[in-house]
């Protein structure tokens, strides 16, 4: 009798342990899937880092080409009427940026047909990775305008921009 009670008790304990372990399987599967995704992202990031470190000249050329595109982008929207932005900026900037320029930035800056904007400063803030951050100043005789621009090297277009206030040497607005 004592042995049968002991066997029943041990069987119940083992059954509880088995049920608990079986309930953990879906949770463990989710953790496994997340860990695999994290590993894949880490390997991809590591591969990009190895590529950049193993070929700094390639990255420098990449940054140089991106800087030329950003400069052309700023010259295009600074020296063209707002109505033509959707045509002239297509391929240089995302639709979000084109809409922002048309509705927000352009009306706050005087872009007249007589005024020609030069782009004397295109400074890069972050040169490593797929998103390059630039500080760009466009100026003419009457005013200077500064922009913070994010260029995505994978999409090969401007994906974000914001207008900055200028103080000091470039603050020559009349």
């Amino acid at each position: 009798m004592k042995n049968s009670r002991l066997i029943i008790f041990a069987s119940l304990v083992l059954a509880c342990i088995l049920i608990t372990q079986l309930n953990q399987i879906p949770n463990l599967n989710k953790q496994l899937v997340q860990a695999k995704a994290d590993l894949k992202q880490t390997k991809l990031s590591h591969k990009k880092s190895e590529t950049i470190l193993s070929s700094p000249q390639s990255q420098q050329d990449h940054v140089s080409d991106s800087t030329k595109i950003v400069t052309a982008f700023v010259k295009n929207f600074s020296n063209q009427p707002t109505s033509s932005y959707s045509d002239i900026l297509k391929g240089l900037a995302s639709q979000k940026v084109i809409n922002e320029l048309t509705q927000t930035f352009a009306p706050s800056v005087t872009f007249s047909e007589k005024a020609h904007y030069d782009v004397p400063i295109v400074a890069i803030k972050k040169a490593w990775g797929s998103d390059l951050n630039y500080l760009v100043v466009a100026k003419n005789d009457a005013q200077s305008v500064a922009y913070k621009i994010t260029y995505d090297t994978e999409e090969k277009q401007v994906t974000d921009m914001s207008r900055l206030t200028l103080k000091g040497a470039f603050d020559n607005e009349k």
Side-chain angles (χ1 to χ4, degrees), residues 31-111:
Q31 290 177 358
L32 177 64
V33 168
Q34 182 63 40
K36 284 182 179 180
D38 290 346
L39 178 62
K40 184 177 180 182
Q41 182 65 33
T42 303
K43 282 183 178 180
L44 182 64
S45 176
H46 182 70
K47 186 176 179 182
K48 282 183 181 179
S49 296
E50 280 183 339
T51 302
I52 289 170
L53 292 175
S54 65
S55 60
Q57 183 60 42
S58 171
Q59 179 65 15
Q60 186 177 0
D61 293 343
H62 212 61
V63 169
S64 178
D65 293 343
S66 300
T67 303
K68 288 176 187 173
I69 292 171
V70 168
T71 304
F73 166 74
V74 174
K75 283 184 180 180
N76 280 340
F77 84 78
S78 296
N79 294 311
Q80 300 295 328
T82 311
S83 59
S84 66
Y85 283 175
S86 59
D87 296 329
I88 63 168
L89 299 179
K90 192 169 191 153
L92 290 176
S94 67
Q95 191 60 45
K96 174 190 160 231
V97 172
I98 294 172
N99 291 341
E100 275 185 28
L101 275 171
T102 305
Q103 298 167 4
T104 308
F105 295 124
S108 65
V109 180
T110 308
F111 292 134

Side-chain angles (χ1 to χ4, degrees), residues 14-26:
L14 289 174
C16 288
I17 291 172
L18 180 64
I19 289 171
T20 304
Q21 293 300 319
L22 289 175
N23 285 336
Q24 291 295 324
I25 290 175

